């Protein structure tokens, strides 16, 4: 007497066909509506199905095909499905019903107010990373954690689960330093400067950074205009061994893989529960092997952290949870009301970085000051400076050229120092009136940089000329759009033409 | 000085191309990755975009194409997108960013515990019906309403919004009767019998029903094997005018269109907040023009309502909210532990219905009894019987043939009485032991009926031979699988072979 279980795996396989369809993160399989496997399994369009090739399997969303896009024994896979399954055009795949996702009952429990225990949290995160959760399921989990805030035990368990489900790095003896900025601020490219200062002081700071997801540039994009960033783990270790620090793309190591999945959902909902934010930030730092980290919290009405009270609460939670993992944390509240530096976009930001490191007279002072503040905190955390003396030491290392020399050596070690490209097309946007700059819309200025081509077009973006509080004459440039092609310049200009209150200019 | 608004509508249109891809409910647009519109608008794969043709527009999910599936000025649309947009292959469409969905801030408020006021609820429901909410958004709304239960004012506002966003029917003088079963029970096809009894008593009962979504048969599917059900509103009115009642498919009228959208999400999450259930049930009845309705609440461990306490609570909420709309409600708790009748599947259930109406000796008594109970309550609600005398009168109308005669006249008025088809292939599943039937797994028996072909194959499904509590000998048939083709029979048999505890047979 067999126990009730999976339907029998009919040995019907199909040949995977490359259709050239990019569905981004979501794995999609296309099957003929009259396909015998659809019938035998009882699939309906938009069902979630298990697609396997030997031991590899993924969960994909099924779309059915009524035309001759597919032959009778063929199934189409989206680009992401091909990648995640590790198959090539023509390989045989089998399709079946997925096992029920048991951990969803824990999500339901959380919806109704039941605390999440460590075991269930672990199972949820594992199921998320293995792709078992559809957008509907992911959204319910994120919403539940926002409606029913996580207590410290839940935050710690979530952080631990997110660490354990990915890779973890180790770096030898402490202190191993790291930094993180909560929420994006256009142009706030402090990392290469901070890494340079801290490594020059003799401390270890192996920094992995991400590429832009929705912003005009990520740290990895900007750094890539100065040196290669696509290093694998052993190459990364060599750089850190030689120079004490690095700034590489984190894609070669899978740190906290649930994080990007959850971030996509949180962005779509504009929901950020404290607990999930804490787990997101700390899981990445701990998995990266950090023992001491600073957290830059820009505070402002259009920043992620809206007020000083919110920042203080976040600091408290981050510190408490970090301690459970033996991670030392210093959080710093910074100004989140306007972009930082002149440039927004990979090459433009890299040029700001080099200008600061070279102590150019025209270097953006706000970027330099922030980098010194953050580096100073790290020097104190790492024991290279006494309490209160960190910023002073950081300023010295910057001003006497040690930081510049260190970054150049890091770039050489990563594969060679490059010169950031310069955009061919430029167009200044002029102020319509005379007055004082009151506000700058971070979101729209980032949008212009993206329409101009950032981050894919590395030289593209925005170069701003005015800071909040500065005087501007009618007809004077507020910012200049940089683009690599006339077409991309046109896209950005079209947008700027109907969005002319990005800079608010008030009566003097 | 123009105010910040939508990016300019570049007059770039594309030609819609039919790819023959069925994505079910979700509208999908396929665009070339190098398409100039993607660049000018700054779209990324999996973004939500606004697709327009003149005044018609929809929100669709974007997938990008890297192969030559599409020509340079072409965009592919999923079947549902074509339908909802009302365009044909080759028509010109324009693609742009959708306006931000403002009502999502109300959803976020609900997540954090802010009550939903009438205005915001209305806006949410309108946005849902116009397709502005992605699965991520829909799931967050459903989850929020489960985590933060709705109070009566919210339930009333939600019900009202769901009514107002669709069509509403009016039927002349009260009472206008209706019925609804909360949660599916395989084979529980009481509606045609109830409508026949009630209309034969001279009351008005204009019943719209749905086709199966995930079950082996909906009322509309079963009724369709007896008469046409695809009537438009004016045809429906003629039938009701002539015969006092009808059983038609509700698809021709758009009653509470948000309901199906939300139900799909609730099913995927297995989440059913009280407030949403109340609004779902009542919005459909009120929009249909009912003044008096009975609610059948099957109670059991695998039914939607799990206990008598839960049923009592639901009754209370349904009655309170219904009164706000002047709708009279009687709720009846019934047995939800096993299927009803012999047949599961459109034709098999219709045959049970006719057997009951004809008073056949072999007619399933459980179906007849339930129909009499429900009809009796309606007769009392409608004023045709005094309190307590309803079931007696209903039984009389059934037994003296008036109900049978009425259903036949309704079928003729709907377009002609039909004979339900009979399946060519049949296979009995035998009991592996001797004993008493203890439990019947509703979900798995429904799955077998679907694998056998129901509801698309109208004659397919399951005919069960044993009820809970009955004696069965080893080797005696528990149920018979009906299928229209040998292949479909094989699918169902494969499943039955590894799921042999659908009927639990215990020691006698």
């Amino acid at each position: 007497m067999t126990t009730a279980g999976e339907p029998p795996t009919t040995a019907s396989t199909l040949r995977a066909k490359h259709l050239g369809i990019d569905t981004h993160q979501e794995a999609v399989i296309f099957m003929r509506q009259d396909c015998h496997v659809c019938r035998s399994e009882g699939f309906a369009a938009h069902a979630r199905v298990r697609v396997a090739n030997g031991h590899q399997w993924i969960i994909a969303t099924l779309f059915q095909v009524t035309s001759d896009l597919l032959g009778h024994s063929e199934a189409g896979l989206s680009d992401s499905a091909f990648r995640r399954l590790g198959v090539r055009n023509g390989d045989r795949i089998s399709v079946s019903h997925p096992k029920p996702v048991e951990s969803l009952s824990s999500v339901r429990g959380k919806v109704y107010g039941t605390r999440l225990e460590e075991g269930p949290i672990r199972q949820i995160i594992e199921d998320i990373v293995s792709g078992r959760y559809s957008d509907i399921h992911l959204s319910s989990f994120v919403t539940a954690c926002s409606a029913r805030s996580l207590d410290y035990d839940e935050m710690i368990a979530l952080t631990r689960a997110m660490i354990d489900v990915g890779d973890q790095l180790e770096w030898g003896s402490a202190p191993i330093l790291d930094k993180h900025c909560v929420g994006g601020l256009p142009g706030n490219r402090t990392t290469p400067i901070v890494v340079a200062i801290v490594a020059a002081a003799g401390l270890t700071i192996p920094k992995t950074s991400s590429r832009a997801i929705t912003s005009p540039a990520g740290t990895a994009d900007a750094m890539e205009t100065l040196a290669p960033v696509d290093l694998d783990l052993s190459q990364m270790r060599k750089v850190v061994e030689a120079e004490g620090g690095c700034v590489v793309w984190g894609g070669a190591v899978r740190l906290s893989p649930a994080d990007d999945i959850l971030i996509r959902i949180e962005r779509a909902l504009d929901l950020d529960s404290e607990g999930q934010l804490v787990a997101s930030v700390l899981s990445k730092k701990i998995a990266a092997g950090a023992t001491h980290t600073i957290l830059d919290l820009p505070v402002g009405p259009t920043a992620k952290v809206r007020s000083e009270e919110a920042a203080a609460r976040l600091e408290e939670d981050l510190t408490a949870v970090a301690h459970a993992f033996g991670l030392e944390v210093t959080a710093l509240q910074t100004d989140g009301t306007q972009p930082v530096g002149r440039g927004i976009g990979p090459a433009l930001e890299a040029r700001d970085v080099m200008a600061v490191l070279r102590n150019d007279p025209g270097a953006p002072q706000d970027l330099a000051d922030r980098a010194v503040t953050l580096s100073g905190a790290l020097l104190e955390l790492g024991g290279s400076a006494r309490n209160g003396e960190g910023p002073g030491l950081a300023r010295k290392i910057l001003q006497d050229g040690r930081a510049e020399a260190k970054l150049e050596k890091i770039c050489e070690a990563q594969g060679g120092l490059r010169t950031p490209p310069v955009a061919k097309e430029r167009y200044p946007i002029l102020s319509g009136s005379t007055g004082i700059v009151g506000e700058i819309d971070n979101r729209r200025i980032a949008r212009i940089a993206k329409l101009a081509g950032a981050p894919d077009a590395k030289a593209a973006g925005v170069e701003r000329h005015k800071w909040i509080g500065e005087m501007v004459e009618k007809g004077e440039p507020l910012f200049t759009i940089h683009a690599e092609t006339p077409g991309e310049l046109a896209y950005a200009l079209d947008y700027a033409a109907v969005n002319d209150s990005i800079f608010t200019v008030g009566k003097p």
Side-chain angles (χ1 to χ4, degrees), chain A:
Chain A
M1 192 162 50
T2 49
T3 46
E6 294 266 39
T9 336
T10 27
S12 337
T13 55
L14 300 163
R15 273 195 326 270
K17 181 174 181 179
H18 183 256
L19 294 171
I21 294 179
D22 176 12
T23 58
H24 223 60
Q25 263 190 305
E26 184 175 12
V28 174
I29 181 168
F30 300 85
M31 293 172 74
R32 287 183 64 107
Q33 204 165 57
D34 58 10
C35 168
H36 64 286
V37 178
C38 273
R39 279 308 336 272
S40 70
E41 291 288 331
F43 293 148
H46 215 245
R48 303 273 290 162
V49 298
R50 184 181 189 273
V51 184
N53 174 259
H55 290 295
Q56 277 293 105
W57 61 268
I58 60 170
I59 305 293
T61 299
L62 167 66
F63 290 159
Q64 292 179 318
V65 167
T66 50
S67 64
D68 287 321
L69 212 57
L70 296 168
H72 273 276
S73 313
E74 292 180 324
L77 291 176
S78 64
D79 292 353
S80 49
F82 263 105
R83 245 189 345 262
R84 284 171 49 196
L85 195 52
V87 294
R88 280 168 317 200
N89 197 31
D91 284 351
R92 289 213 155 269
I93 55 171
S94 62
V95 190
S96 59
H97 276 277
K99 288 197 187 66
V101 188
E102 305 288 355
S103 67
L104 288 170
S105 59
S106 306
V107 176
R108 270 194 297 279
K110 185 59 176 167
V111 173
Y112 288 119
T114 308
R115 282 190 73 260
L116 282 170
E117 303 280 341
E118 184 161 357
I121 285 182
R122 188 167 291 279
Q123 195 57 61
I124 290 170
I125 293 301
E126 283 174 13
D127 284 342
I128 286 176
V129 169
S130 62
R132 286 196 170 92
Y133 275 41
S134 69
D135 277 5
I136 293 176
H137 303 138
L138 292 168
S139 175
S140 192
F141 174 61
V142 167
T143 300
C145 291
S146 295
R148 309 282 190 180
S149 38
L150 306 184
D151 57 33
Y152 278 151
D153 287 334
E154 289 174 307
M155 284 190 213
I156 290 166
L158 179 61
T159 305
R160 197 184 305 279
M162 287 175 72
I163 293 166
D164 290 352
V165 81
D167 295 339
Q168 293 179 50
L169 304 182
E170 268 180 30
W171 293 100
S173 54
I176 306 298
L177 301 171
D178 207 340
K179 76 171 278 288
H180 180 82
C181 181
V182 173
L185 206 50
N188 190 24
R189 204 55 57 200
T190 53
T191 290
I193 307 169
V194 169
V195 168
I197 291 173
V198 169
L203 293 166
T204 308
I205 179 161
K207 188 85 188 66
T208 54
S209 295
S210 47
R211 292 193 181 282
I213 307 173
T214 56
S215 65
T219 295
D221 301 305
M223 185 65 183
E224 196 168 45
T225 66
L226 295 170
V229 295
D230 276 9
L231 274 60
D232 65 30
L233 186 51
S234 77
Q235 291 166 325
M236 186 184 167
R237 286 193 184 284
K238 285 203 184 79
V239 175
V240 174
E241 231 157 279
E243 299 302 336
C246 68
V247 182
V248 301
W249 175 51
V253 275
R254 262 176 107 242
L255 305 176
S256 189
D259 196 36
D260 283 347
I261 298 173
L262 293 169
I263 280 174
R264 177 174 70 85
I265 305 296
E266 288 159 8
R267 283 223 168 94
L269 293 172
D270 213 347
L271 264 187
D272 233 323
S273 79
E274 192 96 332
Q276 293 195 304
L277 182 54
V278 166
S280 166
V281 170
L282 296 181
S283 62
K284 278 225 142 91
K285 298 299 111 182
I286 295 162
T291 61
H292 298 70
T293 189
I294 53 157
L295 300 165
D296 177 9
L297 308 181
V299 180
T302 56
K304 188 165 222 137
V305 186
R306 301 288 164 94
S307 68
E308 286 180 27
E309 294 75 34
R313 248 193 340 266
L314 185 56
E315 253 190 75
E316 209 180 305
D317 292 343
L318 284 162
T319 309
V321 176
H323 275 170
F325 293 88
L327 174 69
E328 286 294 322
V329 162
T330 298
L332 295 110
Q333 294 187 28
T334 57
D335 175 16
T337 58
Q338 63 178 319
V340 180
R342 295 195 194 291
I344 299 165
L348 288 161
E349 293 174 22
R351 276 166 39 189
D352 278 350
V353 164
M354 293 316 290
V356 166
L357 286 170
R358 285 190 306 249
N359 300 294
D360 285 355
Q365 200 55 38
D366 57 349
L367 181 63
D369 289 347
R370 280 177 188 259
V372 160
T373 302
L374 299 174
S375 310
L378 273 169
L379 294 175
E380 291 176 23
L381 256 187
S384 289
R386 281 190 289 258
N387 260 10
E389 297 184 358
L393 176 56
R395 180 80 63 187
K396 210 145 72 88
I397 295 172
L398 176 61
Q399 283 175 338
D400 68 23
R402 275 179 283 170
E404 184 195 0
K406 176 55 81 177
L407 188 68
E408 285 179 5
K409 293 179 86 169
I410 286 174
C411 289
E412 289 296 343
Q414 286 186 194
L417 178 63
R418 298 166 170 165
T419 309
V422 174
K424 281 201 285 289
E425 308 290 329
R426 298 183 223 185
Y427 199 95
I429 302 299
L430 314 177
S431 180
S433 48
T434 296
I436 308 272
V437 176
E439 276 175 25
I440 299 177
D441 188 327
N442 282 332
R443 200 177 55 77
R444 283 179 206 274
I445 208 174
R447 179 92 195 269
I448 286 190
K450 293 191 71 184
L451 286 169
D456 294 328
K458 298 203 169 313
V462 165
E463 180 192 3
R464 62 102 158 239
H465 307 296
K466 292 291 176 185
W467 273 252
I468 287 175
E470 288 189 336
M471 184 78 186
V472 63
E473 298 284 325
K474 177 173 173 171
E476 207 187 333
L478 290 166
F479 62 94
T480 295
I481 301 176
H482 291 237
E484 288 182 4
T485 66
E488 287 166 314
L489 180 64
Y491 300 145
L493 282 173
D494 279 351
Y495 183 80
V498 289
N499 285 276
D500 62 1
S501 52
I502 292 174
F503 280 65
T504 316
V505 178
K507 289 279 156 274

